[in-house]
Amino acid sequence: MIYGQIGNIELVKQLNSAVVYGLIDQQGPISRIQIAELSQLAPASITKITRQLLERGLIQEVEQQASTGGRRAVSIITENRPFHTVAVRLGRNGATITLYNLSGKSIAEESCLLPERTQQALEKGLLTAIGNFINTYQHKIRELIAIAVSLPGLIDPENGVVKYMPHISVDNWQLGNIISECFNVRCFIGHDIRSLALAEHYFGATQDCEDSMLIRIHRGTGAGFIINGQIFLGKNRNVGEIGHIQVEPLGERCYCGNFGCLETIASNSAIEQRVRHMLSQGYNSKLTPDDCGIVAICKAANKGDELAVKVLNDVGHQLGKAISIAINLFNPQKVVISGDITIAEKTLLNAIQRCVDNQVLINFRTNLPIVISQLDHRSAIGSFALVKRAMLNGILLQHLMGENND
Ligand SMILES: [Zn+2]
């Protein structure tokens, strides 16, 4: 377990601080009395913890005119501006690196190519890119509290180890420790789609619910599940491989070795290839073989282009089948669809909804919103969500408050 090395007293301190900080973060401006009521912690503990948080600059006091007039009450809010995170979304050919303050505001962003094909070369390229980014934006960074990286593959988030990546061979890649030692700061590593689902919960479409699922269509199809406000992850770690649900028994061969997996149909390249193939067969369309990227296809569908609508309808139908299975299994409060394909929101969501209406238990689909993402799926916001989580669960918070906080 995560807390294996921490003594019980330390753990209780960490959790109490996290509860207080979390209440101030989510409900501030809030008074100490309200914090005591909501947290059920003793007022003396609240006084002590808020004093430590104040000393560290993580919260600030604001004077509020009490609504009943006259007396001024002191309320507390979090202080987000001086604390910075470098968040990295590592893709197959490059990385997006973003500087966030603790409120999730993007301060600076750069994309860079990292076409390295071995673990060693990628590690070197990534460390250089992060180092250059920090140097470039040094003047905007008050205190760097963490670096976070999200990437596709199989990840051990507790130990910051990358076990598998889809496009290069890795051998127990201790990326978290390596970055942490190189830049002398805490580092958090997570899976890109699951991190995005968490970001949606903190900052996007699923802030109003505890159980949700996010499906991202990009190079493949993946899913992230949020259960009770936490990323759903088992002992075997990898979950949500929705892209490898078979939707076409006589379909194309998938890279996983099976046939007719969802992502042989619902991925950007599969959609583009299908349109190109149909154009070559003489289907009537405004699209041309030279201009049929996913964005162009979605825009054509929005203008009523018959070929684009047909193809996206079919993709939506296949997605809908797999999503219906997932809803029947997990009974979420909301489903979020993410990826460039959501540009064709209406066509896509209608096709998915038709499947859900026919294939999901009525109790599970009643009042179940299926919506498009509010966050840019190409950004590093998912990585930043890992840092936000470490503040709210106390792991990073306790680290920032230091050991001598008695
Ligand atoms: Zn497959």
Side-chain angles (χ1 to χ4, degrees), residues 243-244 254-258 261 263-264:
H244 298 284
C254 179
Y255 75 86
C256 75
N258 296 334
C261 293
E263 69 176 45
T264 63

Side-chain angles (χ1 to χ4, degrees), residues 302 341-350 372:
N302 289 346
I341 193 177
T342 58
I343 295 168
E345 178 177 352
K346 201 165 149 247
T347 308
L348 186 73
L349 292 189
N350 281 345
I372 62 166

Side-chain angles (χ1 to χ4, degrees), residues 208-276:
D208 58 345
C209 49
E210 292 296 297
D211 302 331
S212 59
M213 59 187 246
L214 174 134
I215 292 94
R216 177 176 183 249
I217 300 97
H218 190 51
R219 285 176 191 276
T221 321
F225 296 88
I226 302 294
I227 310 276
N228 292 324
Q230 311 276 341
I231 294 176
F232 173 62
L233 208 59
K235 283 275 173 216
N236 287 334
R237 294 201 184 92
N238 243 16
V239 291
E241 289 292 349
I242 199 169
H244 298 284
I245 291 178
Q246 190 189 56
V247 291
E248 284 271 32
L250 297 174
E252 297 288 314
R253 183 104 194 222
C254 179
Y255 75 86
C256 75
N258 296 334
F259 291 90
C261 293
L262 175 62
E263 69 176 45
T264 63
I265 295 163
S267 71
N268 287 357
S269 60
I271 295 166
E272 290 161 3
Q273 219 176 331
R274 177 112 186 261
V275 168
R276 225 171 264 129

Side-chain angles (χ1 to χ4, degrees), residues 13 30 43 102 118 129 158 185 247 250 382:
K13 272 205 302 197
I30 184 170
L102 208 37
T118 65
E158 283 166 24
V185 68
V247 291
L250 297 174

